[in-house]
């Protein structure tokens, strides 16, 4: 646990850098005071030695030798699925709760090790896929009628025999005799296939028309050419328009960079969710800096909120003509819905229909079919963009919490910007709201004793889909938890234009330039080191506080970095981000939708527990990135871009008569 040891000097560094960056935000004095008081308290109480994120009063074992570790029963085990079922044997999968008399030493070790719950799996739970009829034929007569009790006795017998520990089935995934039967196509699946074929047919017709019609005819039948693949391809590879009032080229690269970080995090996340063979390695690497950074890589989702709300505010603030508020509100919202919904709903529909037919394997039923069922149940919440607040405990396409939270906050941000437009007090008010929402997060965090991001993403919580973990529903995916990010984006835009309008050339200040340049690495640095500030008890006050302020601090770094970058402060990361990507920024949305179902197909068709480590990660990360971005191309060409083009064609026609100053559909704000 040496990594959690922080010296006074390190604390001092954290204090100084946090306060410097906070000090630069004009209206953040309250936050500075609060953060400094908090850090001072941490520094005063916790400099005495190794502290760990567990309550020390429990029986907690912090170190085990390899020999002691491997004396414990294996957490995950899978018998050969195919050979079992092809011989018409019985295959069962499920999880077991272990128990033993108090004098059982091995069991004491297992509980002690599990009590280090921030890093370790719960070793008193075993997960098994067993060819029951082959392993325990002698129990067949007793249990033939009830496959689940047969399964239970079989595993219980082996743990009793090997370890003198009894096992009780607490969750049965399935029991199955013989190979799975191919289910007939459901009406829903047929409908999806029909629509999918129709889209292909329309694309073929539209493309043919585009290739054969004369330019003159095309002008009148623009809508008929919406689905032309050639036209969509041109849209896809067209250079992303730049803006004269702010240099936003780095946004494109930032989008790709953030998406790649999310892919990396999800590779690790899904690998932990499935059956893994090297649990020892995973537990040991939990506290190493690279794992801390990777686990906290989810903080970069905040960047998407910042960019999306920045672009929203920018568009509204630059609007010259006075279009009525109501009209602007509806046209902006419809633009956004048209941009996101077609591909989103189509992928959701695919997930609820054909996804589960694409593979087999021992893990398929739980991880793919199980999720598809949740998705069928929750489909309507996704359509209404409320899946993060309605039945938040049921997880379907977990990454889509972002789309829901973003839509909700987009509405709020849009209203707020429209109301504040042109008022001098706007910036001040947004800064105040940023602090108010941060304070609300503090209040929620202390009321429900919420854990910070790193503790939230612990192995056992990931496996259970964050069951009973309030931090996921209340902060991680909730609108309130993400409101500071949206406010930060709005604030950035207002600050930027206010400075421009008042003629302040902020980039002329050397101090600001340096702070801005260093803020980008500082944001990453913060993601990697902030778990160290959680203090000794993962549910204690320091951890609760961290859960509330880890995102706002990250956001302050991001805002400072971006404020410089869009005003032309040159830095290596800015030029790197400005040139990163090509067409990738436009495909990031598709990749966000597709990477989880695709990677799950890969994982759920494994027939043995996977090995997941530092050597496999780069390969799987690269693989899933390439596959997701490539899969995003047809999605963009056949659904996303044509739908936007069609909408543009239809509305331009009507509006040309009334309102020639139509704004362009912004497809780059995700
Ligand atoms: C491990 O699982 C058992 C059985 O569900 C539970 O009683 C125990 O509290 C868990 N241990 C930890 C540290 O969460
Ligand atoms: C198993 O546990 C029981 C009860 O604690 C004990 O009596 C017995 O000797 C143990 N058996 C072995 C093989 O350790
Ligand atoms: C497990 O096996 C032990 C020893 O044979 C037995 O006493 C116990 O009742 C069994 N437990 C279950 C849940 O089958």
């Amino acid at each position: 646990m040496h990594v959690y040891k922080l010296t006074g000097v390190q604390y001092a560094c954290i204090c100084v850098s946090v306060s410097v960056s906070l000090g630069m935000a004009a209206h953040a004095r309250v936050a500075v005071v609060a953060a400094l008081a908090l850090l001072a308290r941490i520094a005063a109480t916790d400099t005495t030695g190794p502290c760990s994120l567990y309550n020390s009063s429990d029986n907690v074992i912090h170190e085990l030798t390899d020999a002691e570790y491997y004396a414990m029963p294996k957490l995950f085990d899978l018998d050969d699925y195919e050979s079992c079922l092809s011989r018409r044997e019985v295959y069962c999968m499920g999880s077991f709760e272990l128990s033993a008399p108090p004098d059982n030493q091995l069991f004491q070790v297992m509980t002690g090790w599990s009590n280090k719950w921030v890093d370790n799996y719960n070793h008193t739970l075993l997960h098994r896929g067993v060819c029951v009829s082959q392993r325990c034929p002698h129990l067949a007569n007793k249990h033939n009628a009830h496959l689940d009790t047969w399964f239970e006795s079989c595993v219980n017998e082996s743990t009793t025999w090997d370890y003198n520990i009894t096992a009780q089935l607490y969750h049965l995934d399935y029991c199955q005799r013989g190979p799975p039967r191919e289910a007939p196509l459901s009406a829903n699946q047929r409908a999806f296939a029909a629509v999918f074929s129709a889209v292909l047919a329309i694309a073929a017709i539209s493309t043919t028309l585009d290739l054969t019609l004369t330019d003159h005819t095309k002008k009148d039948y623009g809508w008929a050419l919406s689905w032309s693949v050639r036209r969509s391809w041109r849209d896809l590879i067209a250079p992303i328009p730049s803006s004269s009032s702010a240099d936003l080229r780095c946004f494109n690269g930032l989008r790709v960079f953030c998406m790649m970080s999310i892919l990396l995090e999800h590779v690790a996340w899904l690998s932990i969710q499935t059956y893994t063979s090297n649990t020892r390695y995973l537990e040991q690497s939990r506290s190493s800096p690279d794992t801390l950074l990777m686990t906290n890589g989810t903080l970069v989702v905040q960047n998407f909120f910042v960019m999306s709300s920045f672009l929203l505010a920018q568009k509204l603030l630059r609007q010259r003509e006075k279009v009525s508020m109501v009209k602007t509100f509806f046209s902006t919202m419809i633009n956004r819905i048209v941009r996101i919904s077609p591909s989103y709903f189509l992928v959701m529909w695919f997930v609820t229909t054909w996804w589960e037919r694409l593979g087999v394997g021992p893990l398929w039923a739980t991880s793919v079919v199980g999720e598809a069922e949740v998705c069928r149940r929750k489909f309507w919440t996704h359509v209404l963009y409320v899946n993060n607040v309605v039945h938040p405990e049921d997880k379907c396409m977990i990454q889509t919490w972002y789309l829901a939270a973003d839509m909700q906050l987009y509405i709020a941000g849009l209203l707020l910007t429209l109301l504040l437009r042109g008022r001098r007090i706007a910036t001040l008010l947004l800064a105040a709201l940023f602090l108010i929402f941060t304070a609300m997060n503090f209040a929620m965090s202390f009321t429900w004793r919420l854990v910070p991001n790193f503790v939230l993403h612990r192995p056992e919580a990931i496996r259970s889909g964050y069951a009973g973990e309030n931090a996921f529903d209340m902060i991680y995916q909730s609108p309130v938890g993400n409101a500071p990010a949206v406010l930060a984006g709005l604030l950035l835009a207002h600050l930027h234009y206010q400075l421009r309008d008042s003629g302040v050339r902020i980039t002329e200040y050397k101090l600001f330039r340096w702070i801005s340049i260093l803020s980008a690495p500082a944001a990453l640095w913060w993601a990697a080191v902030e778990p160290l500030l959680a203090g000794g008890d993962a549910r204690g006050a320091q951890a609760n506080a961290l859960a509330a302020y880890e995102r706002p601090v990250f956001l302050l770094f991001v805002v400072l970095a971006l404020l410089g970058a869009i005003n032309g402060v040159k830095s290596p990361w800015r030029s790197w981000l400005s040139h990163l990507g090509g067409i990738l920024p436009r495909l990031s949305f598709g990749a966000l939708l597709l990477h989880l179902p695709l990677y799950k197909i890969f994982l759920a068709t494994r027939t043995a527990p996977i090995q997941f480590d530092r050597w496999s990660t780069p390969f799987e990360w690269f693989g899933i990135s390439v596959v997701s971005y490539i899969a995003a191309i047809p999605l963009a060409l056949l659904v996303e871009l044509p739908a936007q083009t069609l909408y543009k064609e239809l509305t331009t026609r009507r509006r040309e008569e009334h309102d020639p100053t139509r704004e362009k559909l912004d497809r780059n704000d995700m």
Side-chain angles (χ1 to χ4, degrees), residues 135-211:
R135 282 207 184 221
C136 303
H138 53 284
L139 296 172
N141 293 337
K142 224 161 82 191
H143 298 288
N144 216 352
H146 299 285
L147 299 181
D148 54 339
T149 55
W150 190 4
F151 179 36
E152 182 173 48
S153 310
C154 184
V155 173
N156 183 32
E157 193 181 77
S158 85
T159 56
T160 314
W161 189 261
D162 294 341
Y163 306 101
N164 210 4
I165 288 174
T166 61
Q168 197 183 3
L169 185 65
Y170 82 91
H171 185 264
L172 177 72
D173 294 324
Y174 63 87
C175 273
Q176 178 179 330
R177 192 193 287 273
R181 273 184 299 278
E182 187 96 352
L185 287 181
S186 68
N188 205 356
Q189 286 163 344
R190 282 170 207 273
F192 180 86
V195 168
F196 189 71
S197 323
V199 168
L200 290 182
I202 293 173
I205 295 171
S206 196
T207 313
T208 317
L209 288 179
D210 189 18
L211 293 174

Side-chain angles (χ1 to χ4, degrees), residues 514-525:
W514 275 107
I515 288 174
S516 172
I517 292 170
L518 292 177
S519 284
L524 290 182
W525 164 85

